Amino acid sequence: MASDAAREEILRLFRQRPGDFVSGEEVSRTLGVSRTAVWKQIRLLRDLGYGIEALPSRGYRLVEAPDTLIPAEVQADLGTRLVGRRVIYVEETDSTNRQAADLGEKGGEEGTVLIADRQSAGKGRLGRSWASPAGVNLYASVLLRPPLPPHRAAQLTFFPAVAVARAITEVSGLSARVKWPNDILLGGRKVAGLLNEMRAEAERIHFIVLGIGVNLNMRRDQFPSDLRYPATSVALETGSPVNRLAFTRALLRHLDRLYDDYLLRGVAPVLREWESLCDLMGKRVAVDLSGRSLVGTATGLDDDGALLLQMADGRVERILAGDVRPC
């Protein structure tokens, strides 16, 4: 059995009997490996931060688990229908979106979630980078294969934003807000961003990768000095560290439910919830486009997810891309 699979099976055995000892013989028999190989896996789990007690003639007992995002922890009692039925975790990658797209090209299973502890080339919107230090945040990409034509792909920006906002509120009690098209804010500062990437042909979507980056425990000194928009983390706003595992599991559950609801009921319900989370609706804003700026009142979203901007002369402009800021 591969090392990662062996460790996950040992953790599964521990969870089946919380607080109890599991004999080395049982672990050895379940994994189909020697007792020496079991001991090596226990040592590796300890290196990952798991507190495991070992007693002669009694076996092993899990007494403490770290805040880790390995598949066995993320998927334990997750209860989702689709999102997270396969979870891939890597300590470091260039970009979870890039790796998830490669997986999609190779026929990867819908609902697969790829999580990295650190990214060396995290991707933001419009080719910008996303600061991705290790051990503090969530960097994840979800592979979906929605039965939709490509012209509806922009609609898929909004349910992940609502899911992130819901998960932040669930684990921290803070009121997360959204900013068109794909930012999540706390106290007016950016705490999370989304980047969807698609592979499609004329009539159908092959797959979409939902890229999600959430600043959970990032310190002020870990933010780049050249940020275009003020940023924060959940921990900075609450004054307390965030359990990354609890947040990740909450997020996957909300993503799963919202995706199911979108496929069943269409985009209207999630657009209405998104609008209720956006503080700029009904207010005067400036939209920075390529080489020009438009000023008007943000009145809502259309069914394609375009921002509706009412101009001073009464005209309504559909904004498909741009940076929005209050006037």
Side-chain angles (χ1 to χ4, degrees):
M1 180 179 286
S3 182
D4 288 350
R7 290 199 296 274
E8 291 188 20
E9 185 63 22
I10 292 172
L11 290 173
R12 186 186 65 81
L13 289 172
F14 284 146
R15 283 195 206 89
Q16 286 178 342
R17 278 172 280 173
D20 292 340
F21 282 91
V22 181
S23 72
E25 180 182 356
E26 180 180 351
V27 178
S28 175
R29 185 173 62 251
T30 301
L31 269 60
V33 298
S34 68
R35 296 283 289 273
T36 300
V38 169
W39 170 244
K40 289 180 179 178
Q41 295 303 322
I42 294 293
R43 188 171 59 191
L44 288 171
L45 283 169
R46 285 173 169 166
D47 290 343
L48 289 171
Y50 287 89
I52 299 175
E53 182 181 2
L55 288 180
S57 77
R58 298 199 67 185
Y60 305 101
R61 180 172 64 176
L62 180 66
V63 295
E64 184 180 6
D67 185 15
T68 182
L69 300 178
I70 65 174
E73 297 288 6
V74 173
Q75 292 178 298
D77 300 318
L78 185 61
T80 56
R81 181 191 70 84
L82 179 69
V83 176
R85 63 184 179 187
R86 183 186 182 200
V87 176
I88 300 169
Y89 171 81
V90 293
E91 289 190 4
E92 181 175 347
T93 189
D94 52 357
S95 158
T96 60
N97 261 30
R98 190 169 297 149
Q99 298 304 319
D102 288 345
L103 189 66
E105 297 281 9
K106 296 172 183 175
E109 179 181 17
E110 184 178 30
T112 297
V113 179
L114 196 147
I115 299 171
D117 192 55
R118 178 182 181 275
Q119 296 180 116
S120 59
K123 298 167 68 176
R125 217 174 122 248
L126 303 177
R128 298 165 187 157
S129 62
W130 183 271
S132 309
V136 291
N137 296 331
L138 173 65
Y139 319 114
S141 295
V142 182
L143 178 64
L144 296 178
R145 299 186 183 275
L148 301 173
H151 72 266
R152 290 180 59 189
Q155 296 177 351
L156 298 174
T157 298
F158 298 96
F159 84 83
V162 171
V164 173
R166 285 184 181 181
I168 289 173
T169 299
E170 180 178 326
V171 302
S172 72
L174 298 174
S175 178
R177 313 301 289 172
V178 298
K179 174 176 173 285
W180 189 88
N182 59 1
D183 292 342
I184 294 87
L185 311 178
L186 283 175
R189 296 180 175 86
K190 185 171 178 176
V191 72
L194 311 174
L195 179 63
N196 291 2
E197 297 184 287
M198 175 177 68
R199 300 290 188 276
E201 56 188 38
E203 298 299 324
R204 68 185 183 95
I205 295 173
H206 291 299
F207 64 84
I208 283 184
V209 172
L210 309 181
I212 302 171
V214 187
N215 298 332
L216 294 175
N217 293 309
M218 211 162 169
R219 305 185 309 271
R220 293 200 186 280
D221 63 346
Q222 291 178 301
F223 287 102
S225 59
D226 59 349
L227 288 175
R228 291 171 53 91
Y229 196 87
T232 190
S233 68
V234 180
L236 285 172
E237 297 299 314
T238 62
S240 302
V242 179
N243 184 290
R244 292 191 302 162
L245 177 61
F247 177 83
T248 301
R249 288 160 58 83
L251 175 61
L252 297 187
R253 290 186 181 116
H254 287 299
L255 283 170
D256 192 65
R257 293 167 192 157
L258 284 162
Y259 183 53
D260 271 353
D261 192 56
Y262 167 75
L263 294 178
L264 180 66
R265 303 169 60 201
V267 73
V270 76
L271 289 184
R272 300 296 81 81
E273 184 171 356
W274 188 97
E275 288 175 344
S276 75
L277 294 170
C278 182
D279 291 332
L280 294 181
M281 289 298 109
K283 296 182 179 178
R284 189 172 170 83
V285 300
V287 183
D288 296 324
L289 308 171
S290 299
R292 65 191 181 108
S293 181
L294 292 178
V295 176
T297 300
T299 60
L301 305 173
D302 69 10
D303 286 348
D304 292 328
L307 178 68
L308 301 177
L309 193 68
Q310 185 170 23
M311 312 302 290
D313 61 7
R315 290 181 299 111
V316 175
E317 293 274 355
R318 293 178 71 251
I319 309 298
L320 297 172
D323 285 327
V324 179
R325 52 187 170 83
C327 288

